[in-house]
Structures are given as C-alpha cells and as structure tokens.
Amino acid sequence: MLIVFFTRERSVCQLIAGRLAEKGHIAVVFTNMQKVIKAVGRHGSQKVDLLALDFRMGQQNDPGWSLLASGTKIPAVYYNDPYGSPGNFALNWNRKITGESEFADRNLMPLFRDLESVMLQHDILPCISLVCPPQKIRGSEEMELGHFSIELFREKYSVQPAKYKLLCYFYKNRGMLLDTKKICLFMWNEYSYAKRETLFSYICYLRKLFRKESRYCLRIINEGRHGYIFRISCPKFRAEVE
C-alpha cells in the first residue's frame, strides 16, 4: 500500500517508512504542503491508500490543508494523535476511517496494524509522543552502525569470499573516494585492464545483492575516472526529494 506522510519530523517518519517497506508497503515523506498536494494529485486518490499526518501540521491555518483534507477523498489519520494510546492506535484509526461514509467499505486494518507495530518499536515510540517532548532520532551514522552487521549481510546473501573481501574494503572506507587502481592493488596486488574488468564485475555482483536488501540502502557510486564511493544509509525507504 502507498502511504503519504506529512510531518515536521522528517527523520522519524523516514525511519517509520523504512520499517513499513520491510512489510511490503511504500511510503513517501513530505514536510511541505504544496509538495504533498502535487504528489497526491500525481498519484491520484485511487492510488494513495492513506495520508498519515502529523497532528501539529493539521492544526495550522494553511489554505492547502483544506484542499488536501476535503478534495482528495483519501483516508487520513494523525499518526501521532495525542488522544491515542499505545496498543490502541490501529483500533482508533480504523474507527475514525470506517465512521466516514465514503470510506466505510475500506479495509485498512491490516495497514493500520502494520503501522502500529512499527510505531510501538522501542526506538520509534518515544520519538512520536506529543504528551511528553518527543525524543530525537539518532544521527544517521549511529543508525547505520547501530544494527547493520556486514557479517550477517554476508551470511544472508551467501556473498562469495572474493566479493566479500571487496565489500569489507568498501565498508571500512565508506564515504571515501576510492581510486580504482588502489582498489585493484588491495584486491590482487596488481593493476591491469583485466583486473579493472574483474573489479567491475564484482561491483555489479554486489549491486545486485544491494537491491535485494530491504532494510538498508547500500550503494557503490561510480565517480567516473576518479573511482568509487560506498555509502550506506538506514532506513531504506522511498522518499520525495524536496
């Protein structure tokens, strides 16, 4: 299902979106009203299954809000409704949606339960509470290293030994520009056309594995003649660039 988040807390909603992706959903995150309206118009009310709104954003006097709320005919809930309580989020959202005549036949309870299960996770719930000041999501580097294990990644995808050696080298030097010659010398103590071609085949192999990964976004970025940069981010999610 496709969920559109409209929020002040981009980082926490991106984290929620990443966890929802693991459950088979797609989420986009916005902090700008006009971009939400454009996105909803682009996808159409038949394609967007749910608007997940920040309670604080819903209270603002923005002309776009009225258009969004009344003109789209898309179910909308406050994901951080202060009147809800942990364990009852899904029931409260479902009660609100089914109480509106145009959505009476919508079965969104499976989505609500998935969303609730994500929000109740220990690293997310404290960040969405409006009763107490919400905590901040940890920095991206902390999130990347907090749960990712390169050894578990190797076991999960049965990474071949030579390719795993390359992956370890990229991971150790993540964020740094690595010269092609330097990589070849590390891998084979040799730099030649044949080794460059082998390196490229290894990178293609790793990129195919990265596309299978549901939680973390791993990328080997080609910087042309300058070499490659390896980046990892968490969570893996679909987000609009504002």
Side-chain angles (χ1 to χ4, degrees):
M1 290 187 166
L2 175 60
I3 308 101
V4 173
F5 282 89
F6 178 48
T7 180
R8 287 182 179 177
E9 299 294 338
R10 170 185 287 278
S11 58
V12 69
C13 284
Q14 288 178 344
L15 186 55
I16 293 172
R19 303 286 170 82
L20 286 173
E22 296 175 16
K23 297 178 180 292
H25 304 292
I26 297 174
V28 290
V29 180
F30 295 96
T31 57
N32 179 283
M33 169 61 69
Q34 297 305 317
K35 292 185 181 293
V36 178
I37 294 173
K38 288 181 181 179
V40 170
R42 182 169 66 250
H43 291 297
S45 60
Q46 299 303 313
K47 295 182 180 180
V48 179
D49 296 287
L50 183 70
L51 295 173
L53 311 170
D54 188 327
F55 185 80
R56 294 163 299 179
M57 305 292 266
Q59 308 307 301
Q60 62 187 17
N61 295 321
D62 187 326
W65 179 259
S66 299
L67 173 63
L68 180 64
S70 63
T72 59
K73 302 300 181 184
I74 299 173
V77 298
Y78 294 122
Y79 70 85
N80 58 350
D81 191 333
Y83 303 108
S85 58
N88 291 313
F89 293 142
L91 290 174
N92 288 338
W93 294 328
N94 194 60
R95 188 179 302 114
K96 174 185 182 301
I97 294 302
T98 56
E100 299 180 21
S101 58
E102 63 265 44
F103 307 132
D105 60 343
R106 298 280 186 97
N107 180 21
L108 293 175
M109 197 60 181
L111 171 59
F112 290 151
R113 291 201 182 280
D114 283 347
L115 179 56
E116 179 179 50
S117 69
V118 170
M119 290 176 52
L120 291 179
Q121 294 175 11
H122 72 280
D123 57 339
I124 291 181
L125 185 60
C127 303
I128 62 171
S129 171
L130 295 183
V131 178
C132 301
Q135 297 179 13
K136 294 295 183 182
I137 290 291
R138 293 177 300 162
S140 59
E141 181 68 11
E142 291 180 277
M143 289 193 293
E144 289 166 8
L145 302 181
H147 302 285
F148 179 79
S149 166
I150 195 168
E151 177 61 25
L152 290 178
F153 183 90
R154 181 190 67 80
E155 294 178 1
K156 182 177 181 181
Y157 297 107
S158 301
V159 184
Q160 299 169 8
K163 278 86 168 183
Y164 181 61
K165 179 181 178 181
L166 177 61
L167 176 60
C168 288
Y169 184 69
F170 273 128
Y171 182 70
K172 181 180 179 180
N173 297 283
R174 57 192 177 276
M176 298 175 58
L177 178 60
L178 300 174
D179 178 73
T180 303
K181 181 178 180 180
K182 184 177 180 180
I183 300 173
C184 288
L185 290 174
F186 169 79
M187 291 293 296
W188 303 288
N189 293 316
E190 178 185 338
Y191 180 65
S192 64
Y193 175 80
K195 294 305 180 185
R196 290 200 307 270
E197 290 297 300
T198 302
L199 173 62
F200 182 70
S201 70
Y202 281 19
I203 288 173
C204 290
Y205 168 88
L206 291 175
R207 283 171 171 165
K208 288 179 181 178
L209 295 186
F210 295 165
R211 287 195 287 271
K212 297 179 182 179
E213 173 60 29
S214 61
R215 185 159 190 170
Y216 296 88
C217 180
L218 300 97
R219 295 178 297 156
I220 298 175
I221 303 168
N222 189 341
E223 292 292 328
R225 295 181 179 179
H226 301 291
Y228 298 91
I229 298 176
F230 175 78
R231 296 192 185 281
I232 177 174
S233 60
C234 173
K236 182 177 182 179
F237 62 93
R238 179 178 173 182
E240 298 287 336
V241 178
E242 296 192 24

